[in-house]
Amino acid sequence: MRLLPLPVLLPALMVFSACATPGPRPSLPGGAPPERPFGTLQEQAQRQQAWLRERLEVALPHLMRQHRIEMWVVPMREYNEDPVFKALVSATTYAARRRTIYVFQDLGAQRGVSRVALGGGSQGGVYEVRRPTAKVDGGGVERVAEPWGPEQWQMLKQLLEERQPHSVAIDVSRVFAFADGLTHGEYEGLVEALGPEWAARLKPSGGLPVDVLAWRSADEERFFAEENKLAWDIIQTAFSNAVITPGTTHVQEVEWWMVQRLNELGLSTWFHPSVSVQRQGVGEAELGEDPLIQRGDVLHCDFGITALRLNTDTQHMGYVLREGETEVPEGLKQALARSNRLQDLVMEELRPGRTGNEVLRASLARMREEGIEGTVYSHPVGLHGHGAGSMVGLWDRQEGVPGNGDHKIIPSMWYSIELQASSPVAEWGGQKVRSAQEEDVIIGVDGQVRWAWKRQTAFHVVR
């Protein structure tokens, strides 16, 4: 049994003590409980509702016209939701109701996009809800029945007959998972109910669901800055003597401290954080899966926060001072500076209208011209950690990503600038050190790219 270092053990003891000794608790009406960085759950939901309304009223009409979509139909069943679901519903909706069919139709610049829900609710008034005319006895109260089974498909057919669209877009794609949300069973039910005439008008929605998921509002940008700052704060504490005692703390203890800290804040993550070590004269295999952190180690972490359905993705570097050292060795500083320079190159190439593969090629060409040894594997981030949008390389696909990397970047979306630069370090006898960094950026409505919070330019230091 491994004993936890005191800095890691104390938070757990404090939580146990609080539970063992009952005391006064803050009342909910008075505001958020202590250390709830983004307000009460109700306040968070209200903020998310404003984002939803803006996405559907401002972004959706523009994106439907950009992708030449007249009508978009999004059917899904409970617990088998389309990936675009979380971009279309309120914070208080966790799953599709039985079956939900969302129908969007562009009625022109003056009238905007009609939004109809066949099943489910109005999502705070952003959808017109249509239900059968038959009523049922709901415990002594007459209630309108919910659409169910074949009758629900017939409601869709009636709507199509009423609206007479020239084509109907559905989410089927062999390129994007985010645009392939129509399950095979739902597709069969749809085609069977609509009949051959309407089935002939079905077409793939293309990149529409991808961009609907990717698009972010101005207030989401403000929130994202706060969320990234919190990620920074947690990493800075994790890579400090508050959590790490050299020669005592293992990397997995740091990982679990980060997860526990999120839980204490009422937040979660979309992946388990990772902490790794590089050590002079020691290979990765020798270090093992859970090495003890020693003085002179270079640390790396990969960490993400999920809050209000939005995700961060951050990789930072740390260093554990040797006895007698007062600062990070110069060779390591230079290694970090090279990955910083590679970040500059990618950010300068990342702009709306280009594809991810175009950004990748341009960035790698400039990287080689400057003599940097590295790889670029950046990706969109937002409602998903590995978000909707064009990939800018994969760590093992530096030639580009066919299909996915050919999608165009849009304004008002976010990216994680993820990459690494490997540099020989003089103080380590020329041994290469991998400086892997990841920071989130915002592409504004004006197409300008900026850090969501800031970027790491100096090592976190454990003394």
Short mmCIF file of all heavy atoms in Angstrom, two decimals, residues 35-71:
data_model
loop_
_atom_site.label_atom_id
_atom_site.label_comp_id
_atom_site.label_asym_id
_atom_site.label_seq_id
_atom_site.Cartn_x
_atom_site.Cartn_y
_atom_site.Cartn_z
N GLU A 35 -17.11 27.77 -3.76
CA GLU A 35 -16.25 27.24 -4.81
C GLU A 35 -17.03 26.68 -5.99
O GLU A 35 -16.66 25.65 -6.56
CB GLU A 35 -15.30 26.18 -4.25
CG GLU A 35 -14.25 26.74 -3.30
CD GLU A 35 -13.10 25.78 -3.10
OE1 GLU A 35 -13.35 24.66 -2.61
OE2 GLU A 35 -11.97 26.15 -3.44
N ARG A 36 -18.10 27.31 -6.37
CA ARG A 36 -18.79 26.97 -7.61
C ARG A 36 -18.47 28.10 -8.58
O ARG A 36 -19.10 29.15 -8.56
CB ARG A 36 -20.30 26.82 -7.40
CG ARG A 36 -20.68 25.59 -6.59
CD ARG A 36 -20.25 24.30 -7.29
NE ARG A 36 -20.74 23.11 -6.62
CZ ARG A 36 -20.05 22.39 -5.77
NH1 ARG A 36 -18.82 22.77 -5.45
NH2 ARG A 36 -20.54 21.31 -5.22
N PRO A 37 -17.45 27.92 -9.42
CA PRO A 37 -16.89 29.05 -10.17
C PRO A 37 -17.82 29.67 -11.20
O PRO A 37 -17.64 30.82 -11.56
CB PRO A 37 -15.66 28.44 -10.84
CG PRO A 37 -15.94 26.98 -10.91
CD PRO A 37 -16.74 26.67 -9.69
N PHE A 38 -18.83 28.93 -11.66
CA PHE A 38 -19.68 29.45 -12.74
C PHE A 38 -21.12 29.68 -12.30
O PHE A 38 -22.02 29.72 -13.11
CB PHE A 38 -19.63 28.51 -13.94
CG PHE A 38 -18.23 28.22 -14.41
CD1 PHE A 38 -17.77 26.92 -14.53
CD2 PHE A 38 -17.36 29.26 -14.70
CE1 PHE A 38 -16.47 26.66 -14.94
CE2 PHE A 38 -16.05 29.01 -15.12
CZ PHE A 38 -15.61 27.70 -15.23
N GLY A 39 -21.33 29.83 -10.99
CA GLY A 39 -22.66 30.12 -10.49
C GLY A 39 -23.47 28.88 -10.19
O GLY A 39 -23.00 27.75 -10.31
N THR A 40 -24.72 29.09 -9.80
CA THR A 40 -25.60 27.97 -9.50
C THR A 40 -25.96 27.23 -10.79
O THR A 40 -25.79 27.76 -11.90
CB THR A 40 -26.90 28.45 -8.84
OG1 THR A 40 -27.63 29.25 -9.79
CG2 THR A 40 -26.62 29.27 -7.60
N LEU A 41 -26.48 26.03 -10.64
CA LEU A 41 -26.90 25.27 -11.81
C LEU A 41 -27.99 26.01 -12.58
O LEU A 41 -28.03 25.99 -13.81
CB LEU A 41 -27.39 23.88 -11.39
CG LEU A 41 -26.33 22.94 -10.82
CD1 LEU A 41 -26.98 21.64 -10.38
CD2 LEU A 41 -25.23 22.68 -11.84
N GLN A 42 -28.88 26.68 -11.84
CA GLN A 42 -29.94 27.43 -12.51
C GLN A 42 -29.36 28.59 -13.32
O GLN A 42 -29.77 28.85 -14.45
CB GLN A 42 -30.95 27.96 -11.48
CG GLN A 42 -32.13 28.69 -12.13
CD GLN A 42 -33.14 29.17 -11.11
OE1 GLN A 42 -32.88 29.15 -9.92
NE2 GLN A 42 -34.29 29.59 -11.57
N GLU A 43 -28.39 29.28 -12.74
CA GLU A 43 -27.74 30.38 -13.46
C GLU A 43 -27.01 29.87 -14.71
O GLU A 43 -27.04 30.51 -15.76
CB GLU A 43 -26.78 31.11 -12.53
CG GLU A 43 -27.47 31.91 -11.44
CD GLU A 43 -26.54 32.34 -10.33
OE1 GLU A 43 -25.42 31.77 -10.21
OE2 GLU A 43 -26.92 33.24 -9.56
N GLN A 44 -26.37 28.73 -14.57
CA GLN A 44 -25.68 28.14 -15.72
C GLN A 44 -26.67 27.80 -16.83
O GLN A 44 -26.42 28.07 -18.01
CB GLN A 44 -24.92 26.89 -15.29
CG GLN A 44 -23.75 27.14 -14.36
CD GLN A 44 -23.09 25.87 -13.89
OE1 GLN A 44 -23.15 24.84 -14.57
NE2 GLN A 44 -22.47 25.90 -12.73
N ALA A 45 -27.81 27.20 -16.44
CA ALA A 45 -28.81 26.81 -17.44
C ALA A 45 -29.40 28.02 -18.14
O ALA A 45 -29.66 27.99 -19.35
CB ALA A 45 -29.92 25.99 -16.77
N GLN A 46 -29.60 29.09 -17.40
CA GLN A 46 -30.13 30.31 -18.02
C GLN A 46 -29.15 30.86 -19.05
O GLN A 46 -29.55 31.34 -20.12
CB GLN A 46 -30.42 31.34 -16.93
CG GLN A 46 -31.61 30.99 -16.06
CD GLN A 46 -31.73 31.87 -14.83
OE1 GLN A 46 -30.79 32.58 -14.46
NE2 GLN A 46 -32.89 31.84 -14.19
N ARG A 47 -27.88 30.79 -18.72
CA ARG A 47 -26.86 31.26 -19.66
C ARG A 47 -26.84 30.38 -20.91
O ARG A 47 -26.76 30.86 -22.04
CB ARG A 47 -25.50 31.26 -18.97
CG ARG A 47 -24.42 32.06 -19.67
CD ARG A 47 -23.17 32.16 -18.83
NE ARG A 47 -22.20 33.06 -19.45
CZ ARG A 47 -21.00 33.32 -18.94
NH1 ARG A 47 -20.62 32.77 -17.78
NH2 ARG A 47 -20.17 34.14 -19.57
N GLN A 48 -26.92 29.06 -20.71
CA GLN A 48 -26.93 28.13 -21.84
C GLN A 48 -28.16 28.33 -22.73
O GLN A 48 -28.07 28.17 -23.95
CB GLN A 48 -26.88 26.68 -21.34
CG GLN A 48 -25.54 26.28 -20.74
CD GLN A 48 -25.59 24.89 -20.14
OE1 GLN A 48 -25.88 24.72 -18.97
NE2 GLN A 48 -25.34 23.90 -20.95
N GLN A 49 -29.29 28.67 -22.10
CA GLN A 49 -30.50 28.89 -22.89
C GLN A 49 -30.33 30.08 -23.83
O GLN A 49 -30.81 30.05 -24.98
CB GLN A 49 -31.70 29.11 -21.97
CG GLN A 49 -33.03 29.21 -22.68
CD GLN A 49 -33.45 27.91 -23.37
OE1 GLN A 49 -32.98 26.83 -23.00
NE2 GLN A 49 -34.31 28.01 -24.37
N ALA A 50 -29.67 31.12 -23.35
CA ALA A 50 -29.41 32.28 -24.21
C ALA A 50 -28.50 31.89 -25.37
O ALA A 50 -28.68 32.35 -26.50
CB ALA A 50 -28.78 33.40 -23.39
N TRP A 51 -27.54 31.02 -25.10
CA TRP A 51 -26.65 30.55 -26.18
C TRP A 51 -27.46 29.77 -27.22
O TRP A 51 -27.25 29.93 -28.42
CB TRP A 51 -25.56 29.64 -25.61
CG TRP A 51 -24.63 30.29 -24.64
CD1 TRP A 51 -24.48 31.64 -24.40
CD2 TRP A 51 -23.73 29.63 -23.74
NE1 TRP A 51 -23.53 31.84 -23.43
CE2 TRP A 51 -23.06 30.64 -23.01
CE3 TRP A 51 -23.43 28.30 -23.49
CZ2 TRP A 51 -22.09 30.33 -22.03
CZ3 TRP A 51 -22.47 27.98 -22.53
CH2 TRP A 51 -21.81 28.99 -21.81
N LEU A 52 -28.37 28.89 -26.74
CA LEU A 52 -29.18 28.08 -27.66
C LEU A 52 -30.03 28.98 -28.55
O LEU A 52 -30.07 28.77 -29.77
CB LEU A 52 -30.08 27.14 -26.85
CG LEU A 52 -31.13 26.38 -27.65
CD1 LEU A 52 -30.49 25.42 -28.64
CD2 LEU A 52 -32.08 25.62 -26.71
N ARG A 53 -30.68 29.94 -27.96
CA ARG A 53 -31.53 30.82 -28.76
C ARG A 53 -30.72 31.56 -29.82
O ARG A 53 -31.14 31.67 -30.98
CB ARG A 53 -32.26 31.82 -27.85
CG ARG A 53 -33.27 32.69 -28.57
CD ARG A 53 -34.11 33.50 -27.61
NE ARG A 53 -35.01 32.66 -26.83
CZ ARG A 53 -36.19 32.25 -27.25
NH1 ARG A 53 -36.61 32.56 -28.47
NH2 ARG A 53 -36.96 31.51 -26.48
N GLU A 54 -29.55 32.04 -29.45
CA GLU A 54 -28.73 32.76 -30.42
C GLU A 54 -28.23 31.82 -31.52
O GLU A 54 -28.18 32.20 -32.69
CB GLU A 54 -27.54 33.42 -29.71
CG GLU A 54 -26.73 34.32 -30.62
CD GLU A 54 -25.70 35.14 -29.87
OE1 GLU A 54 -25.65 35.07 -28.62
OE2 GLU A 54 -24.92 35.85 -30.54
N ARG A 55 -27.90 30.59 -31.15
CA ARG A 55 -27.42 29.63 -32.15
C ARG A 55 -28.51 29.36 -33.20
O ARG A 55 -28.25 29.31 -34.40
CB ARG A 55 -27.00 28.33 -31.48
CG ARG A 55 -26.37 27.30 -32.43
CD ARG A 55 -25.94 26.05 -31.68
NE ARG A 55 -25.06 26.38 -30.58
CZ ARG A 55 -25.34 26.14 -29.31
NH1 ARG A 55 -26.48 25.55 -28.96
NH2 ARG A 55 -24.49 26.48 -28.35
N LEU A 56 -29.76 29.18 -32.71
CA LEU A 56 -30.84 28.84 -33.62
C LEU A 56 -31.36 30.05 -34.39
O LEU A 56 -31.80 29.92 -35.54
CB LEU A 56 -31.99 28.19 -32.84
CG LEU A 56 -31.67 26.83 -32.19
CD1 LEU A 56 -32.89 26.28 -31.48
CD2 LEU A 56 -31.15 25.83 -33.20
N GLU A 57 -31.33 31.22 -33.78
CA GLU A 57 -31.89 32.40 -34.43
C GLU A 57 -30.88 33.15 -35.29
O GLU A 57 -31.26 33.77 -36.29
CB GLU A 57 -32.46 33.35 -33.36
CG GLU A 57 -33.68 32.80 -32.65
CD GLU A 57 -34.25 33.76 -31.62
OE1 GLU A 57 -33.60 34.81 -31.37
OE2 GLU A 57 -35.33 33.47 -31.06
N VAL A 58 -29.61 33.09 -34.92
CA VAL A 58 -28.58 33.86 -35.64
C VAL A 58 -27.72 32.97 -36.54
O VAL A 58 -27.57 33.23 -37.73
CB VAL A 58 -27.69 34.63 -34.65
CG1 VAL A 58 -26.58 35.37 -35.39
CG2 VAL A 58 -28.52 35.61 -33.83
N ALA A 59 -27.17 31.91 -35.95
CA ALA A 59 -26.22 31.08 -36.70
C ALA A 59 -26.91 30.16 -37.70
O ALA A 59 -26.45 30.02 -38.85
CB ALA A 59 -25.37 30.26 -35.74
N LEU A 60 -27.99 29.49 -37.27
CA LEU A 60 -28.60 28.46 -38.12
C LEU A 60 -29.05 28.99 -39.48
O LEU A 60 -28.77 28.36 -40.50
CB LEU A 60 -29.74 27.77 -37.38
CG LEU A 60 -30.40 26.62 -38.13
CD1 LEU A 60 -29.40 25.52 -38.43
CD2 LEU A 60 -31.58 26.06 -37.32
N PRO A 61 -29.76 30.12 -39.56
CA PRO A 61 -30.15 30.61 -40.89
C PRO A 61 -28.96 30.85 -41.81
O PRO A 61 -28.99 30.48 -42.99
CB PRO A 61 -30.88 31.92 -40.57
CG PRO A 61 -31.39 31.76 -39.19
CD PRO A 61 -30.33 30.97 -38.48
N HIS A 62 -27.92 31.46 -41.27
CA HIS A 62 -26.73 31.71 -42.07
C HIS A 62 -26.10 30.41 -42.55
O HIS A 62 -25.73 30.28 -43.73
CB HIS A 62 -25.72 32.51 -41.24
CG HIS A 62 -24.35 32.58 -41.83
ND1 HIS A 62 -24.05 33.34 -42.95
CD2 HIS A 62 -23.20 31.93 -41.50
CE1 HIS A 62 -22.78 33.18 -43.24
NE2 HIS A 62 -22.24 32.34 -42.38
N LEU A 63 -25.98 29.43 -41.65
CA LEU A 63 -25.32 28.17 -42.01
C LEU A 63 -26.16 27.36 -42.98
O LEU A 63 -25.61 26.71 -43.89
CB LEU A 63 -25.03 27.37 -40.74
CG LEU A 63 -23.98 27.99 -39.79
CD1 LEU A 63 -23.90 27.20 -38.49
CD2 LEU A 63 -22.62 28.06 -40.47
N MET A 64 -27.47 27.36 -42.84
CA MET A 64 -28.31 26.62 -43.78
C MET A 64 -28.16 27.20 -45.19
O MET A 64 -28.07 26.44 -46.17
CB MET A 64 -29.78 26.65 -43.34
CG MET A 64 -30.06 25.75 -42.14
SD MET A 64 -31.81 25.67 -41.67
CE MET A 64 -32.51 24.75 -43.05
N ARG A 65 -28.10 28.51 -45.30
CA ARG A 65 -27.93 29.12 -46.63
C ARG A 65 -26.53 28.87 -47.17
O ARG A 65 -26.35 28.64 -48.36
CB ARG A 65 -28.23 30.63 -46.53
CG ARG A 65 -29.71 30.90 -46.32
CD ARG A 65 -30.01 32.28 -45.78
NE ARG A 65 -31.35 32.28 -45.17
CZ ARG A 65 -31.75 33.15 -44.26
NH1 ARG A 65 -30.94 34.12 -43.86
NH2 ARG A 65 -32.96 33.07 -43.76
N GLN A 66 -25.56 28.91 -46.29
CA GLN A 66 -24.19 28.65 -46.72
C GLN A 66 -24.05 27.24 -47.28
O GLN A 66 -23.34 27.02 -48.27
CB GLN A 66 -23.24 28.85 -45.55
CG GLN A 66 -21.75 28.75 -45.90
CD GLN A 66 -20.89 29.00 -44.69
OE1 GLN A 66 -20.85 28.21 -43.75
NE2 GLN A 66 -20.18 30.13 -44.69
N HIS A 67 -24.73 26.29 -46.68
CA HIS A 67 -24.65 24.89 -47.11
C HIS A 67 -25.77 24.52 -48.10
O HIS A 67 -25.90 23.36 -48.46
CB HIS A 67 -24.69 23.95 -45.91
CG HIS A 67 -23.44 23.97 -45.09
ND1 HIS A 67 -22.33 23.23 -45.42
CD2 HIS A 67 -23.11 24.68 -43.97
CE1 HIS A 67 -21.38 23.44 -44.52
NE2 HIS A 67 -21.82 24.32 -43.64
N ARG A 68 -26.56 25.51 -48.52
CA ARG A 68 -27.62 25.31 -49.50
C ARG A 68 -28.62 24.24 -49.05
O ARG A 68 -28.99 23.33 -49.79
CB ARG A 68 -27.04 24.96 -50.88
CG ARG A 68 -26.10 26.03 -51.43
CD ARG A 68 -25.53 25.63 -52.78
NE ARG A 68 -24.58 26.61 -53.25
CZ ARG A 68 -24.88 27.74 -53.89
NH1 ARG A 68 -26.14 28.03 -54.12
NH2 ARG A 68 -23.93 28.57 -54.29
N ILE A 69 -29.05 24.37 -47.80
CA ILE A 69 -30.02 23.45 -47.22
C ILE A 69 -31.36 24.17 -47.08
O ILE A 69 -31.46 25.17 -46.36
CB ILE A 69 -29.56 22.93 -45.85
CG1 ILE A 69 -28.21 22.21 -45.96
CG2 ILE A 69 -30.61 22.03 -45.24
CD1 ILE A 69 -28.22 20.95 -46.77
N GLU A 70 -32.39 23.67 -47.77
CA GLU A 70 -33.72 24.27 -47.66
C GLU A 70 -34.45 23.75 -46.43
O GLU A 70 -35.06 24.52 -45.68
CB GLU A 70 -34.54 23.95 -48.91
CG GLU A 70 -35.96 24.48 -48.86
CD GLU A 70 -36.79 24.02 -50.05
OE1 GLU A 70 -36.27 23.29 -50.92
OE2 GLU A 70 -37.98 24.39 -50.10
N MET A 71 -34.44 22.43 -46.24
CA MET A 71 -35.07 21.83 -45.06
C MET A 71 -34.13 20.78 -44.48
O MET A 71 -33.50 20.01 -45.22
CB MET A 71 -36.41 21.18 -45.41
CG MET A 71 -37.09 20.50 -44.21
SD MET A 71 -38.72 19.80 -44.59
CE MET A 71 -39.74 21.27 -44.46
#
